């Protein structure tokens, strides 16, 4: 299915990270990896099909990309790492209620957000 305008904007931002070079933050950060970019855009497609918008996204210092989702008192941080792995943290308020990999926590993300 076609992406929503919000998802197209989020995916375009992520794809723009390809233009970053090593040391993009002037503190020695690695440029975002192709794996991280591809996996992040794939995730955006999945959540967009469930009408879940990306709240925030940014490159990290080790070639990863982080995506944040927010709804009411819930927040999820999803890290797409350079080595094709991922990490998810889900918070209710200030309390981390779930931690693990995306393939295990995707159902919870789809339910909460």
């Amino acid at each position: 299915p076609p992406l929503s305008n919000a998802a197209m904007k989020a995916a375009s931002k992520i794809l723009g990270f390809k233009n970053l070079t090593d040391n993009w933050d002037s503190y020695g950060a690695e440029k975002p990896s192709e794996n991280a970019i591809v996996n992040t855009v794939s995730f955006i497609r999945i959540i967009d099909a469930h009408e879940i918008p990306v709240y925030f996204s940014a490159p990290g210092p080790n070639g990863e990309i982080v995506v944040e989702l927010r709804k009411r008192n819930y927040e999820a941080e999803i890290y797409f790492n350079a080595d094709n792995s991922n990490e998810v943290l889900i918070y209710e308020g200030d309390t981390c209620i779930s931690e693990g990999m995306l393939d295990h926590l995707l159902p919870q993300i789809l339910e909460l957000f």
Side-chain angles (χ1 to χ4, degrees), residues 6-108:
M8 284 192 294
K9 184 177 177 182
S12 178
K13 179 180 178 181
I14 299 301
L15 292 170
F17 295 161
K18 288 182 178 185
N19 298 322
L20 295 174
T21 59
D22 284 335
N23 198 34
W24 57 267
D25 66 348
S26 75
Y27 294 100
E30 296 174 24
K31 67 181 180 180
S33 76
E34 185 67 27
N35 287 337
I37 291 168
V38 168
N39 292 334
T40 304
V41 171
S42 293
F43 175 71
I44 290 170
R45 287 188 172 284
I46 292 167
I47 62 170
D48 188 57
H50 296 273
E51 300 179 353
I52 299 171
V54 172
Y55 176 77
F56 175 78
S57 61
N62 300 306
E64 77 277 15
I65 296 174
V66 63
V67 171
E68 291 184 10
L69 309 175
R70 289 190 182 173
K71 186 172 183 182
R72 295 184 306 273
N73 198 33
Y74 294 100
E75 180 177 333
E77 298 173 0
I78 304 97
Y79 295 86
F80 295 93
N81 300 314
D83 66 359
N84 254 348
S85 68
N86 58 63
E87 303 166 60
V88 178
L89 301 167
I90 300 175
Y91 295 90
E92 183 174 6
D94 293 333
T95 304
C96 183
I97 59 171
S98 296
E99 182 176 356
M101 295 187 309
L102 184 57
D103 57 344
H104 295 116
L105 293 176
L106 184 59
Q108 186 176 12

